[in-house]
Amino acid sequence: MEVHPVQGSGNSARKSQGSDTEMDLRELQGDLQGRRPRRLLLSASSHPGGPDPHTKATGTLEGHLLAATFLLFYALYYSVLVSLALLREQRVLKLPLPPKEKRGHRRWQLVPLEGVVKVVITLTGIFLQFFYPPGVNQLRLVDWEDPRQPFMFKNSWHHVSIYGFFLLSGVVDIMSQSCWSRQNVKLERAAEALAFYMMVLLFANHLENKSILEIRVHVLFLVPTFLVALGLTIEVWVPDQPPLWVLKTWMGLVLGSWMLQLSILLYAPPSGQPWRADSPVDLAFLTIFFCWHLGLGAAVLAAVYGLCSLWHHHCSSWTEAPGARYQECPTDSSGEELEKLREDALLQDGVV
């Protein structure tokens, strides 16, 4: 019995493949037109082999906005602190707390607000990275079902690691200001500097498998981050440098505003069209916008200083604490005033 091949089977197979390709194209067009607006593709050529199913989750608009808002408000808070410290001619940005036995006994007086805010924001960010949008679970490091056992969700674990070091900084603040008998300001600054250094390191590694546009966005993001970390490092040993306070706060404002720009640019451009990674014009304007953010940060810092100056001269009831201002150092090495200053310095080193 002869079996005759069915005519047109090859044509039907080709038609089915063609229909599948058309469906894929329609789905891609739907993604770009807004069906999935939370993740816009910047350059299809950056992933020639297709997306890796274990690393395709790169965060959400909400998660990036949370981090950007925290950085921006934290920088604004430090802008107020720096402005008041300059107006009051303080020797240090934040005066160390007195010993624990000399503080108030009310519970709210023993809780460091800055450390608590760090802990709450970072825990929220970690939760969003793992479980947002609802129904998503990225709390897996290795795919044990795959025979190759590859790592999973690389970008999410990058973000969680950054949040984790800022969580450590908040815990150090709480321990130093609430649990220990004397506040350790140097350790607090060192923990905060470590968090920013880890952000630099992880964001440098975050550049892999990105388009040219995303790489430039993140490289520009690394510039103020490293300067903030460097300023905090110097402040551990030399805390009485007002120009360093201003530089650190200025870069913090740039960091927060540029993080907002990064979130909008990558996830929700106002025009609805993604930035083109292959366009030299788009890349040039990206650097131009960063320079505008530098000017905007300086303008915001100057505005905050002006408002604090008006409040300080007209509404403030602040009274100068003994030794709060800079004082002229006596040149006579055998003078009693110099010996007193040495004793005060040794006491301050023991406190901070």
Side-chain angles (χ1 to χ4, degrees):
M1 180 177 180
E2 295 183 1
V3 178
H4 297 282
V6 178
Q7 298 295 330
S9 60
N11 294 332
S12 62
R14 284 193 294 270
K15 288 181 180 179
S16 63
Q17 292 178 358
S19 61
D20 292 341
T21 303
E22 292 177 358
M23 290 178 62
D24 292 340
L25 290 175
R26 284 196 298 268
E27 290 180 359
L28 179 59
Q29 291 175 356
D31 290 343
L32 293 178
Q33 290 175 359
R35 289 183 184 177
R36 298 172 187 173
R38 296 309 186 192
R39 181 61 179 142
L40 295 177
L41 301 179
L42 293 178
S43 175
S45 62
S46 61
H47 303 285
D52 186 352
H54 300 300
T55 60
K56 64 182 179 180
T58 58
T60 61
L61 173 64
E62 292 79 2
H64 283 76
L65 288 178
L66 174 68
T69 303
F70 167 69
L71 290 173
L72 188 57
F73 277 95
Y74 194 65
L76 288 173
Y77 164 71
Y78 262 87
S79 300
V80 175
L81 290 182
V82 168
S83 299
L84 293 178
L86 293 175
L87 292 169
R88 297 168 180 174
E89 300 182 5
Q90 296 177 191
R91 290 187 295 180
V92 290
L93 181 58
K94 292 192 294 185
L95 298 177
L97 296 174
K100 190 174 181 180
E101 60 272 9
K102 295 183 180 180
R103 304 176 200 170
H105 296 286
R106 296 180 180 179
R107 188 174 300 273
W108 63 269
Q109 293 179 334
L110 301 177
V111 177
L113 180 60
E114 187 175 327
V116 171
V117 170
K118 286 182 184 178
V119 170
V120 172
I121 295 295
T122 52
L123 288 177
T124 304
I126 291 173
F127 180 82
L128 290 176
Q129 284 295 325
F130 284 142
F131 304 110
Y132 187 86
V136 172
N137 182 9
Q138 300 181 16
L139 190 60
R140 289 188 296 169
L141 187 61
V142 178
D143 186 3
W144 299 107
E145 299 177 358
D146 193 323
R148 298 175 302 167
Q149 297 182 354
F151 290 106
M152 304 179 65
F153 310 119
K154 177 194 70 174
N155 293 321
S156 294
W157 283 102
H158 269 170
H159 298 156
V160 168
S161 299
I162 294 172
Y163 279 124
F165 279 96
F166 279 98
L167 174 63
L168 175 64
S169 174
V171 171
V172 170
D173 290 348
I174 294 174
M175 296 292 293
S176 174
Q177 300 177 30
S178 298
C179 302
W180 298 341
S181 59
R182 290 183 179 274
Q183 182 185 10
N184 195 327
V185 178
K186 291 184 178 180
L187 183 61
E188 294 177 19
R189 297 288 80 77
E192 197 171 14
L194 177 64
F196 279 98
Y197 278 124
M198 291 303 103
M199 182 186 291
V200 172
L201 179 62
L202 291 170
F203 264 96
N205 182 258
H206 202 57
L207 302 177
E208 298 180 358
N209 300 323
K210 303 291 185 181
S211 67
I212 298 176
L213 184 67
E214 287 181 291
I215 290 175
R216 182 163 297 188
V217 168
H218 286 81
V219 167
L220 294 174
F221 181 81
L222 292 177
V223 174
T225 307
F226 177 75
L227 290 177
V228 171
L230 184 62
L232 288 168
T233 304
I234 300 175
E235 199 173 6
V236 172
W237 289 280
V238 190
D240 56 344
Q241 296 296 321
L244 188 64
W245 309 342
V246 175
L247 175 63
K248 181 185 68 175
T249 307
W250 177 33
M251 289 297 102
L253 290 169
V254 175
L255 183 62
S257 63
W258 187 247
M259 185 68 175
L260 283 175
Q261 176 79 54
L262 183 151
S263 304
I264 297 173
L265 185 149
L266 295 182
Y267 292 91
S271 64
Q273 298 295 326
W275 283 56
R276 295 168 296 175
D278 57 348
S279 172
V281 177
D282 286 8
L283 295 177
F285 267 97
L286 193 65
T287 306
I288 293 173
F289 288 163
F290 181 76
C291 295
W292 290 359
H293 279 269
L294 291 173
L296 177 63
V300 171
L301 184 57
V304 171
Y305 180 84
L307 293 175
C308 290
S309 178
L310 292 175
W311 178 83
H312 176 72
H313 290 100
H314 296 90
C315 305
S316 176
S317 59
W318 179 81
T319 56
E320 181 180 347
R325 288 175 174 263
Y326 284 94
Q327 299 178 3
E328 183 179 357
C329 181
T331 57
D332 186 6
S333 59
S334 60
E336 296 181 358
E337 295 183 3
L338 182 58
E339 292 297 330
K340 184 178 179 181
L341 289 175
R342 287 174 178 170
E343 293 177 359
D344 293 341
L346 292 175
L347 179 61
Q348 185 180 15
D349 288 338
V351 172
V352 302

